[in-house]
PDB file of all heavy atoms in Angstrom:
ATOM      1  N   PHE A  74       5.561  20.786  14.815  1.00  0.00           N
ATOM      2  CA  PHE A  74       5.941  20.318  13.522  1.00  0.00           C
ATOM      3  C   PHE A  74       6.839  19.090  13.618  1.00  0.00           C
ATOM      4  O   PHE A  74       6.597  18.098  12.938  1.00  0.00           O
ATOM      5  CB  PHE A  74       6.615  21.424  12.719  1.00  0.00           C
ATOM      6  CG  PHE A  74       7.232  20.948  11.443  1.00  0.00           C
ATOM      7  CD1 PHE A  74       6.473  20.733  10.328  1.00  0.00           C
ATOM      8  CD2 PHE A  74       8.608  20.682  11.344  1.00  0.00           C
ATOM      9  CE1 PHE A  74       7.002  20.280   9.132  1.00  0.00           C
ATOM     10  CE2 PHE A  74       9.179  20.207  10.178  1.00  0.00           C
ATOM     11  CZ  PHE A  74       8.361  20.008   9.057  1.00  0.00           C
ATOM     12  N   LEU A  75       7.853  19.161  14.432  1.00  0.00           N
ATOM     13  CA  LEU A  75       8.762  18.039  14.618  1.00  0.00           C
ATOM     14  C   LEU A  75       8.037  16.807  15.163  1.00  0.00           C
ATOM     15  O   LEU A  75       8.332  15.690  14.759  1.00  0.00           O
ATOM     16  CB  LEU A  75       9.921  18.429  15.530  1.00  0.00           C
ATOM     17  CG  LEU A  75      10.868  19.493  14.917  1.00  0.00           C
ATOM     18  CD1 LEU A  75      11.895  19.952  15.941  1.00  0.00           C
ATOM     19  CD2 LEU A  75      11.574  18.933  13.686  1.00  0.00           C
ATOM     20  N   ASP A  76       7.065  17.027  16.027  1.00  0.00           N
ATOM     21  CA  ASP A  76       6.276  15.912  16.547  1.00  0.00           C
ATOM     22  C   ASP A  76       5.450  15.250  15.448  1.00  0.00           C
ATOM     23  O   ASP A  76       5.275  14.036  15.467  1.00  0.00           O
ATOM     24  CB  ASP A  76       5.364  16.361  17.703  1.00  0.00           C
ATOM     25  CG  ASP A  76       6.151  16.637  18.986  1.00  0.00           C
ATOM     26  OD1 ASP A  76       7.310  16.203  19.076  1.00  0.00           O
ATOM     27  OD2 ASP A  76       5.557  17.279  19.884  1.00  0.00           O
ATOM     28  N   LEU A  77       4.996  16.007  14.483  1.00  0.00           N
ATOM     29  CA  LEU A  77       4.295  15.410  13.319  1.00  0.00           C
ATOM     30  C   LEU A  77       5.232  14.450  12.544  1.00  0.00           C
ATOM     31  O   LEU A  77       4.797  13.428  12.152  1.00  0.00           O
ATOM     32  CB  LEU A  77       3.795  16.492  12.355  1.00  0.00           C
ATOM     33  CG  LEU A  77       2.544  17.269  12.764  1.00  0.00           C
ATOM     34  CD1 LEU A  77       2.245  18.351  11.750  1.00  0.00           C
ATOM     35  CD2 LEU A  77       1.335  16.361  12.923  1.00  0.00           C
ATOM     36  N   VAL A  78       6.455  14.938  12.358  1.00  0.00           N
ATOM     37  CA  VAL A  78       7.462  14.107  11.643  1.00  0.00           C
ATOM     38  C   VAL A  78       7.721  12.830  12.455  1.00  0.00           C
ATOM     39  O   VAL A  78       7.640  11.707  11.928  1.00  0.00           O
ATOM     40  CB  VAL A  78       8.764  14.875  11.396  1.00  0.00           C
ATOM     41  CG1 VAL A  78       9.807  13.987  10.750  1.00  0.00           C
ATOM     42  CG2 VAL A  78       8.522  16.104  10.530  1.00  0.00           C
ATOM     43  N   LEU A  79       7.991  12.979  13.712  1.00  0.00           N
ATOM     44  CA  LEU A  79       8.334  11.845  14.572  1.00  0.00           C
ATOM     45  C   LEU A  79       7.205  10.898  14.674  1.00  0.00           C
ATOM     46  O   LEU A  79       7.401   9.647  14.597  1.00  0.00           O
ATOM     47  CB  LEU A  79       8.750  12.332  15.961  1.00  0.00           C
ATOM     48  CG  LEU A  79      10.041  13.140  16.025  1.00  0.00           C
ATOM     49  CD1 LEU A  79      10.237  13.765  17.388  1.00  0.00           C
ATOM     50  CD2 LEU A  79      11.230  12.281  15.637  1.00  0.00           C
ATOM     51  N   SER A  80       5.993  11.380  14.790  1.00  0.00           N
ATOM     52  CA  SER A  80       4.818  10.524  14.897  1.00  0.00           C
ATOM     53  C   SER A  80       4.578   9.718  13.610  1.00  0.00           C
ATOM     54  O   SER A  80       4.288   8.529  13.624  1.00  0.00           O
ATOM     55  CB  SER A  80       3.588  11.394  15.211  1.00  0.00           C
ATOM     56  OG  SER A  80       2.409  10.612  15.228  1.00  0.00           O
ATOM     57  N   ALA A  81       4.760  10.386  12.459  1.00  0.00           N
ATOM     58  CA  ALA A  81       4.574   9.685  11.190  1.00  0.00           C
ATOM     59  C   ALA A  81       5.598   8.541  11.014  1.00  0.00           C
ATOM     60  O   ALA A  81       5.261   7.516  10.440  1.00  0.00           O
ATOM     61  CB  ALA A  81       4.725  10.664  10.034  1.00  0.00           C
ATOM     62  N   PHE A  82       6.821   8.735  11.557  1.00  0.00           N
ATOM     63  CA  PHE A  82       7.837   7.704  11.446  1.00  0.00           C
ATOM     64  C   PHE A  82       7.874   6.787  12.651  1.00  0.00           C
ATOM     65  O   PHE A  82       8.696   5.899  12.743  1.00  0.00           O
ATOM     66  CB  PHE A  82       9.224   8.379  11.261  1.00  0.00           C
ATOM     67  CG  PHE A  82       9.459   8.838   9.855  1.00  0.00           C
ATOM     68  CD1 PHE A  82       9.012  10.097   9.452  1.00  0.00           C
ATOM     69  CD2 PHE A  82      10.144   8.072   8.971  1.00  0.00           C
ATOM     70  CE1 PHE A  82       9.249  10.532   8.159  1.00  0.00           C
ATOM     71  CE2 PHE A  82      10.399   8.493   7.679  1.00  0.00           C
ATOM     72  CZ  PHE A  82       9.953   9.736   7.274  1.00  0.00           C
ATOM     73  N   ALA A  83       6.973   6.996  13.598  1.00  0.00           N
ATOM     74  CA  ALA A  83       6.882   6.196  14.843  1.00  0.00           C
ATOM     75  C   ALA A  83       8.170   6.284  15.652  1.00  0.00           C
ATOM     76  O   ALA A  83       8.589   5.271  16.217  1.00  0.00           O
ATOM     77  CB  ALA A  83       6.494   4.745  14.533  1.00  0.00           C
ATOM     78  N   PHE A  84       8.787   7.464  15.689  1.00  0.00           N
ATOM     79  CA  PHE A  84       9.964   7.676  16.530  1.00  0.00           C
ATOM     80  C   PHE A  84       9.514   8.345  17.822  1.00  0.00           C
ATOM     81  O   PHE A  84       8.526   9.058  17.887  1.00  0.00           O
ATOM     82  CB  PHE A  84      10.958   8.629  15.816  1.00  0.00           C
ATOM     83  CG  PHE A  84      11.566   8.053  14.566  1.00  0.00           C
ATOM     84  CD1 PHE A  84      11.751   8.834  13.419  1.00  0.00           C
ATOM     85  CD2 PHE A  84      11.986   6.735  14.513  1.00  0.00           C
ATOM     86  CE1 PHE A  84      12.323   8.330  12.292  1.00  0.00           C
ATOM     87  CE2 PHE A  84      12.563   6.192  13.354  1.00  0.00           C
ATOM     88  CZ  PHE A  84      12.725   7.013  12.260  1.00  0.00           C
ATOM     89  N   SER A  85      10.320   8.175  18.838  1.00  0.00           N
ATOM     90  CA  SER A  85      10.036   8.763  20.143  1.00  0.00           C
ATOM     91  C   SER A  85      10.142  10.288  20.081  1.00  0.00           C
ATOM     92  O   SER A  85      11.027  10.810  19.410  1.00  0.00           O
ATOM     93  CB  SER A  85      11.019   8.206  21.145  1.00  0.00           C
ATOM     94  OG  SER A  85      10.981   8.937  22.365  1.00  0.00           O
TER      95      SER A  85
END
Side-chain angles (χ1 to χ4, degrees):
F74 171 79
L75 292 172
D76 286 346
L77 283 176
V78 175
L79 293 170
S80 177
F82 282 84
F84 295 139
S85 168

